[in-house]
Amino acid sequence: MFRFWIVFCLWVQVCAVVCINGCGTSSYVRKPFASHDLPIHHFPSPPGFNAPQQVHITQGDHEGRSMIISWVTPVQPTPNVVTYWEAANPNCIHKQAHAKTTYYRYYNYTSGYIHHATIRRLKYDTQYIYELGKHNETRRFSFTTPPQVGPDVPYTFGVIGDLGQTCDSNQTLEHYVANPKGKAVLFVGDLSYADDHPFHDNRRWDSWGRFVEKSTAYQPWIWTAGNHELDLAPEIGENTPFRPYLHRYYVPYKASQSTSPLWYSIKHASAYIIVLSSYSAYGKYTPQYNWLEQELPKVNRAETPWLIVLLHSPWYNSNNYHYMEGESMRVMFESWFVKHKVDLVFAGHVHSYERSKRISNVKYNITNGLSTPVCDASAPVYITIGDGGNVEGIANNFTEPQPSYSAFREASFGHAILELKNRTHAHYTWHRNHDGEAVAADSTWFYNRYWYPHDEDQLSSSTTMS
Ligand SMILES: [Fe+2]
């Protein structure tokens, strides 16, 4: 018996050491085959011939006192008004905001009327009720504004990427919705996967809008464009990139002096969030390059300690799928991220999950041979979370051996929860779909790079391997 306990204790110690240093490649094996998109009738329109549908909201200004309310009316362009009031004060005056209304054609498809109304001068951290439509087609929703920006304001984000509209997508979204912690979603691109259907069947953009409404109507989703938002199809006469996406998903890009909705920034509670476009020009002198160069020095870590970047194509990815596709953007911007001590970079694109150590690869200059990533306390953690569960299936072909920069990786679907506790600490969990939503398959503490730049690996990482 004594010998058994000796062996058991040694085994526990070995497991602890393994987990503290990152847990390698998970042994969890998920079914490798792709699932199909759910039939369009699985996402029915609400009753009524012109009832508002596909409702989604996002932050409408730089500070968090505005909200953009977006929706589609399928037949008539009116009413294009949102009525809103404070939930705690239903007898107060109900205010209204008028929408900008647009539509687009794509090959043989014509969209419904797409409305975007910006509600301004809202109170911080306040629940609002809003209504769309009229008479018996009226639909009511609610949202809560973020708290006033400040360095120790706690706030919790969900993180989702590459969602699509399959059974797996549905499981991911249901998991996220069932998790009561998330107050807003950082979405890292690839929304509907309409372009995987013949002629980019844009009815799939509509069905996706109806699918995600259960969350997007109630909390802001911070949008990032992925390659499936390009919808570039010269063979059918569609030569303008991002056209469906840009008509449907408005973001407050002008508030951060951006010249394009594909890259922008917002402040949200204690976070400064920068959204980049992997599929727009980012070489030197391009608008995105110039904007980011001026943007990073503006971040005041005394006001927003957590500097988070969202982009689609990961810079550090040890999967054979999309391997090194993010390399050219990394070469352009990584030294800036290290200089400005970016805390976290979330990416999608690769349909699996991976978390890196804090590493950088900025010394290389084409002749010195220093092209291996090294530990760097000023570098971000890179998280690839393109595991929403879309029609293209899982990316289950990791490179072997696992690179030293990769802390944990698993070929599964899921979502993450990022809890900003104060200016120094954030708790992070990743939830695989095949567990209950309360189970964390990967969890760690992140220490703020500006206020508390200590090494998390020495203390905090833990991962549940199945
Ligand atoms: Fe992608």
Side-chain angles (χ1 to χ4, degrees), residues 48 52 64 75 91 96 101 123 125 137 158 169 177 221-222 255 266 279 300 307 309 313 346 350 357 382 394 403 462:
V75 183
N91 296 322
Q96 291 192 321
T101 300
K123 293 180 181 175
D125 204 12
E137 294 178 349
S169 320
V177 170
W221 282 42
I222 311 306
I266 59 167
Y279 305 99
N300 177 3
L307 179 51
V309 176
S313 189
F346 289 102
V350 180
K357 299 174 183 173
Y382 295 88
I394 201 78
S462 68

Side-chain angles (χ1 to χ4, degrees), residues 294-366:
Q294 293 175 13
E295 178 70 6
L296 284 166
K298 291 179 184 174
V299 182
N300 177 3
R301 304 297 276 274
E303 181 188 43
T304 50
W306 293 96
L307 179 51
I308 298 168
V309 176
L310 312 181
L311 48 84
H312 187 65
S313 189
W315 296 359
Y316 289 97
N317 159 42
S318 69
N319 202 299
N320 283 311
Y321 291 98
H322 305 305
Y323 186 59
M324 288 188 72
E325 285 185 18
E327 180 66 4
S328 54
M329 188 185 235
R330 184 195 68 76
V331 169
M332 293 309 298
F333 294 149
E334 187 182 21
S335 60
W336 293 354
F337 282 18
V338 173
K339 177 183 177 185
H340 294 282
K341 300 182 188 300
V342 172
D343 289 292
L344 299 164
V345 178
F346 289 102
H349 200 39
V350 180
H351 302 160
S352 61
Y353 172 75
E354 186 163 16
R355 171 170 58 84
S356 82
K357 299 174 183 173
R358 290 199 184 276
I359 38 88
S360 70
N361 187 6
V362 294
K363 296 255 170 65
Y364 182 56
N365 70 2
I366 218 167

